């Protein structure tokens, strides 16, 4: 530990080290780009790690077709501006089956469009390492995951049989068909992320900032009406409210919070006095206890 | 995340910015909690998170729900459930993997590794300890110092942790007794004195009720030390010595175009400035730093912990795994060294077996040449041993395929550490801390020989080769090898046969049939084979050699293409029927132990050069097939199918 380095400088160096380690030891790595704030930070770190070169791997977005429209616009603008190679994968089987989170529920939708979609993309391109933006402070099973997290040929995670991970000596060896999920942000907290976005002036999707948006109250959550596919149930009505999002995903599954925080410092200020945890806005974690661990075993990030 | 000392409403930008600036000045302490099962590790961390207000309302609601379902505290909140994330853990009430938690106080940021107590999860504790600065060793006041207390303290010391907090927990269950506390402290300091910790701070606590966790408890008035959190906030960390020699393990060579060639890596120790002289550790080639490149602009100077890209003034050869270092204080570069080794593999470590060794950026083949002793982690005594089993610790000599650059672990945790990887499964089976280089390697120089192996082989009109016949006892290895040698001899070729009989009675008569002895047996045969191939001979080796790892060991001793693995494939039923020496009969009656194919496995070759399926074929046909291979691959020049009466 060196006194000259701040906490964020240390986290940044650790993440850059991880990016380089993967680029040096894997044949065909990919970064999973989910467009959220953590992905924005990862992208920023990846650009730093290989400067003056561009990151020597493509960026993959598994599109469920139900993302907020602003996310997709932001994604395409970033790829254009920074010049990274963007690949978009959609589970066409799921589209043909007409998978719809409003009809099939969050579990089925997430499994088919996200988990299965991701597995399809990894198999299709033969990626042997995939960066994800998960942090250990997000959720209980994440807290136990290695930075280099081994996946068997079926993309499954065996939490009871993880490779010991000592010092910064990472075991990157795998057999054919197996892969490693790599989490460069493992040791960052939500506050660290925001602080870094502020310090480095990193662009994020405008949905994180409060604005007047059309929302519907459903099951105790505020769901934004992002397109015409959302049908109103009896008694529901669309209201314009001042809201923002703490996490971003599929719009039918992501709850907004009422807020007036329209700048980064205001967001951080709001977060500091928040009384609920970040993932609470996501339907997928609430379905049942241990649900995240179950999804991860099946190959979810 | 942190909500301590905040004004009730934070709505002013200035206040937020000031708060964030404060965050930045904080130092970071990484610590782990360890101790025996049920000593209350997870409860303590849950309590720390709760008392520093890090539990959100929705998490608290879920926790109260879970506590009623799985909890062991009746209707009270069971803090351990917050931390024990995995389903299996919640059900069994134990911690099976290391979990990382984050919290902060106005003074410091903390990363906590909560590690398992059960013996079979020792490897996970080592994982947590490898990156920690301090360890909280929990002891149940009712139980006192247990085996796991000693084991974990030993591992903490082994991995270079210098500060210990001895947390005597559940003090409420012994009526807050000072006598009990004093007795445990005396017990602990008695054995920990030898472990070389810089500080040991004993604190009586009750994690469940919060006594002495964040605030000093009135019930423990006799205790005059700090509360746990106070101690964690104020203990002075071992500041890195800026004067430590510069070490820069090269991770990645960044070469986007002809005009840029940068070496990317993280500075493991010391500082570096533009213009500083550096040398390449393995070659000794010297240069100077021309630029320190980052996306935020070139730097004049960079320090330990920073991830940068260095551009040198000269075109020197540097690749991943090498190190740029200070010219006046270089690391060791050696292919033999002594190290402490912790074993994680289900399969025991056997000296002589080939593994992979990985340092931060380098990877080489390695064998443990000598297990000097095992350390009994209860008595800390040195014990003679032939192998290291799961969770055992030993001191070994290691020999690598190529020299590596390193420092002793005591001087540098980054450049003195390594892991051992199993070559078949790619599992991480061990972790090592280097003690010192063995000078033997650098002092024995190879004699430059005038007559070399090519000259010797050319004189015999052949190329050297090792024909390695592997297969079950009674599969026909020796019969085929004998006939082939006779035929090669008649062609004027220079050959030699090594088999179990002529080796076991002489060179290897001190070896038995345990797994360790079998490895050593093959190692010696491999070395003899290598010398004979050097002499230009075609060597026929006829050994059951049941393990892939050992066959691979011999293969790697020889130049590419000289090791020819011949799998003599006869079904075991047929071998048992033949039983030329009556050995199967004895083994099946249990009179011979460790007999291959009966109670010891035979690992079939996956890609043998020659796969001899013997069923329905004559010895002549089989021997001719091998000889044809030799002809096809230029080992002999005059293969003639007609010379075989088939």
């Amino acid at each position: 530990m060196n006194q000259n380095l701040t906490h964020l400088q240390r986290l940044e160096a650790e993440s850059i080290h991880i990016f380089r380690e993967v680029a040096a030891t894997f044949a065909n790595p990919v970064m999973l780009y989910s467009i959220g704030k953590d992905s924005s930070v990862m992208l920023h770190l990846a650009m730093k790690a290989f400067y003056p070169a561009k990151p020597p791997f493509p960026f993959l977005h598994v599109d469920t077709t139900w993302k907020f429209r602003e996310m997709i616009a932001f994604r395409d603008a970033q790829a254009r501006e920074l010049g990274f190679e963007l690949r978009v994968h959609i589970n066409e089987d799921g589209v043909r089956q007409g998978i719809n989170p409003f009809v099939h529920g969050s579990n089925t939708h997430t499994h088919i469009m996200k988990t299965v979609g991701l597995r399809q993309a990894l198999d299709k391109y033969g990626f042997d390492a995939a960066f994800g933006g998960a942090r250990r402070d997000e959720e209980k099973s994440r807290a136990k995951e290695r930075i280099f997290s081994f996946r068997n040929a079926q993309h499954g995670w065996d939490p009871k049989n993880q490779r010991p991970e000592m010092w910064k000596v990472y075991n990157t060896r795998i057999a054919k068909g197996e892969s490693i999920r790599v989490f460069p942000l493992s040791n960052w907290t939500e506050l660290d992320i925001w602080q870094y976005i502020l310090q480095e002036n990193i662009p994020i999707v405008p949905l994180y900032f409060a604005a007047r948006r059309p929302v519907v109250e459903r099951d105790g959550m505020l769901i934004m009406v992002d397109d015409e596919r959302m049908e109103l149930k009896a008694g529901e009505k669309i209201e314009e409210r001042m809201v923002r999002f703490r996490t971003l995903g599929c719009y039918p599954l992501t709850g907004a919070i009422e807020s007036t925080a329209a700048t980064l410092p205001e967001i951080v200020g709001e977060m500091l006095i928040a009384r609920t945890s970040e993932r609470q806005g996501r339907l997928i974690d609430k379905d049942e206890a241990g649900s995240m661990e179950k999804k991860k075993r099946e190959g979810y990030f | 995340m942190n909500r301590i000392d905040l004004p009730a409403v934070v709505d002013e930008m200035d206040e937020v910015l000031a708060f964030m600036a404060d965050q930045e000045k904080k130092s970071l302490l990484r610590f782990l909690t360890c101790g025996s099962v049920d000593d209350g590790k997870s409860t303590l961390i849950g309590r720390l998170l709760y008392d520093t207000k890090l539990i959100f309302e929705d998490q608290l609601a879920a926790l109260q729900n879970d506590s009623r379902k799985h909890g062991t505290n009746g209707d009270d909140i069971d803090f351990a459930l917050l931390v024990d994330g995995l389903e299996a853990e919640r059900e069994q009430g134990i911690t099976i993997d290391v979990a990382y938690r984050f919290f902060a106080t106005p003074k410091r940021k903390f990363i906590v590794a909560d590690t398992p107590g059960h013996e079979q999860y020792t490897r996970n504790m080592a994982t947590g300890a490898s990156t920690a600065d301090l360890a909280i060793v929990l002891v149940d006041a009712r139980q006192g110092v247990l085996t796991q207390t000693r084991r974990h303290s030993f591992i903490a010391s082994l991995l270079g942790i210098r500060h210990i907090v001895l947390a005597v927990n559940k003090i409420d269950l012994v009526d807050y007794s000072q006598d009990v506390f004093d007795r445990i402290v005396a017990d602990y300091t008695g054995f920990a004195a030898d472990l070389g910790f810089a500080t040991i701070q004993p604190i009586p606590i009750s994690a469940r009720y919060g006594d002495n966790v964040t605030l000093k408890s009135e019930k423990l008035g006799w205790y005059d030390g700090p509360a746990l959190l106070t101690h964690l906030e104020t203990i002075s960390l071992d500041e890195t010595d800026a004067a430590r020699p510069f070490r820069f393990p090269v991770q990645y060579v960044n070469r986007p175009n002809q005009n840029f060639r940068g070496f990317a890596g993280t500075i493991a120790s010391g500082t570096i400035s533009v213009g500083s002289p550096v040398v390449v550790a393995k070659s000794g080639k010297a240069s100077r730093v021309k630029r320190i490149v980052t996306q935020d602009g070139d730097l004049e100077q960079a320090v330990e912990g920073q991830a940068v890209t260095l551009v040198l003034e000269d075109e020197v050869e540097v690749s991943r795994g090498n190190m740029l270092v200070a010219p006046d204080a270089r690391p060791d570069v050696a292919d033999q060294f002594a190290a402490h080794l912790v074993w994680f593999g289900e399969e025991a470590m056997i000296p002589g077996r080939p593994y992979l060794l990985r340092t931060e950026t380098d990877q080489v083949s390695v064998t443990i040449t000598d297990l000097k002793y095992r350390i009994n982690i209860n008595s800390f005594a040195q014990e003679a041993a032939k192998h290291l089993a799961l969770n055992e610790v030993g001191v070994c000599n290691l020999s690598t395929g190529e020299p590596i650059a390193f420092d002793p672990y005591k001087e540098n945790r980054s450049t003195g550490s390594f892991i051992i990887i199993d070559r078949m499964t790619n599992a991480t089976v061990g972790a090592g801390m280097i003690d010192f280089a063995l000078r033997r390697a650098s002092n024995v120089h190879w004699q430059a020989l005038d007559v070399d192996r090519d000259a010797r082989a050319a004189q015999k009109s052949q190329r050297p080769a090792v024909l390695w016949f592997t297969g079950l006892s009674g599969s026909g290895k020796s019969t085929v090898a004998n006939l082939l040698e006779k035929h090669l001899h008649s062609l004027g070729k220079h050959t030699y046969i090594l088999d179990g009989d002529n080796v076991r009675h002489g060179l290897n008569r001190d070896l038995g049939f345990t797994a360790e002895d079998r490895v050593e047996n093959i190692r010696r045969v491999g070395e003899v084979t290598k010398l004979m191939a050097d002499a230009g001979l075609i060597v026929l080796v006829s050994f059951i050699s049941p393990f892939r790892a050992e066959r691979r060991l011999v293969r790697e001793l020889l130049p590419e293409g000289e090791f020819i693995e011949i799998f003599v494939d006869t079904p075991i039923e047929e071998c048992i029927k033949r039983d030329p020496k009556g050995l199967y009969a004895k083994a099946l009656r249990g009179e011979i132990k460790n007999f291959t194919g009966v109670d010891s496995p035979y690992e079939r070759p996956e890609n043998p050069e020659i796969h001899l399926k013997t069923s329905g074929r004559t010895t002549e046909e089989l021997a001719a097939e091998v000889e044809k291979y030799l002809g096809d691959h230029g080992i002999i020049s005059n293969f003639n199918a007609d010379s075989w009466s088939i």
Side-chain angles (χ1 to χ4, degrees), chain A residues 73-187:
Chain A
F74 180 84
R75 174 194 77 189
D76 296 341
Q78 285 280 290
R80 256 196 321 276
E81 216 165 287
L82 298 173
F84 59 82
E85 184 193 343
L86 176 69
R87 295 188 197 173
V88 176
H89 178 84
I90 294 174
N91 179 356
E92 297 297 347
D93 298 341
V95 173
R96 266 192 298 279
Q97 290 165 38
I99 295 299
N100 179 332
F102 291 122
V103 177
H104 300 94
S106 76
N107 256 341
T108 306
H109 168 73
T110 305
H111 180 74
I112 293 179
M113 297 310 292
K114 212 164 165 183
T115 307
V116 175
L118 174 62
R119 292 200 303 228
Q120 285 172 346
L122 294 177
D123 289 340
K124 175 174 157 197
Y125 295 109
F127 293 122
D128 51 3
F131 294 105
R135 306 187 318 266
R136 284 168 173 163
D137 78 328
E138 273 179 80
E139 199 271 339
K140 283 186 280 191
S141 71
R142 297 259 199 231
K144 307 222 163 185
E145 188 156 11
R146 304 289 190 249
I147 294 174
F148 282 70
S149 188
F150 178 80
R151 293 291 189 280
N152 63 24
Q154 287 74 45
H155 306 293
W157 179 55
D158 181 1
K160 286 194 207 168
N161 197 18
Q162 300 194 78
R163 291 176 175 177
E165 193 164 85
M166 308 283 295
W167 307 287
K168 283 193 305 231
V169 186
Y170 301 112
N171 180 351
T172 55
R173 293 182 61 87
I174 48 169
K176 207 168 154 36
E178 297 167 346
S179 62
I180 304 255
R181 302 279 169 92
V182 186
F183 301 106
L185 304 181
S186 288
N187 287 325

Side-chain angles (χ1 to χ4, degrees), chain A residues 6 17 21 144 272 293, chain B residues 3 24 89 251 266 358:
Chain A
T6 66
H17 186 89
E21 200 60 16
K144 307 222 163 185
L272 291 171
E293 185 189 345
Chain B
R3 277 178 303 286
E24 261 313 287
E89 295 175 8
Q251 249 193 312
T266 304
R358 179 95 193 244

Side-chain angles (χ1 to χ4, degrees), chain A residues 8 19 30 51 62 69 132 149 163 171 180 208 211 220 260 277:
Chain A
L8 279 184
F19 273 111
V30 66
Y51 179 85
V62 178
R69 287 176 297 173
S149 188
R163 291 176 175 177
N171 180 351
I180 304 255
Y208 285 110
T260 55
S277 65

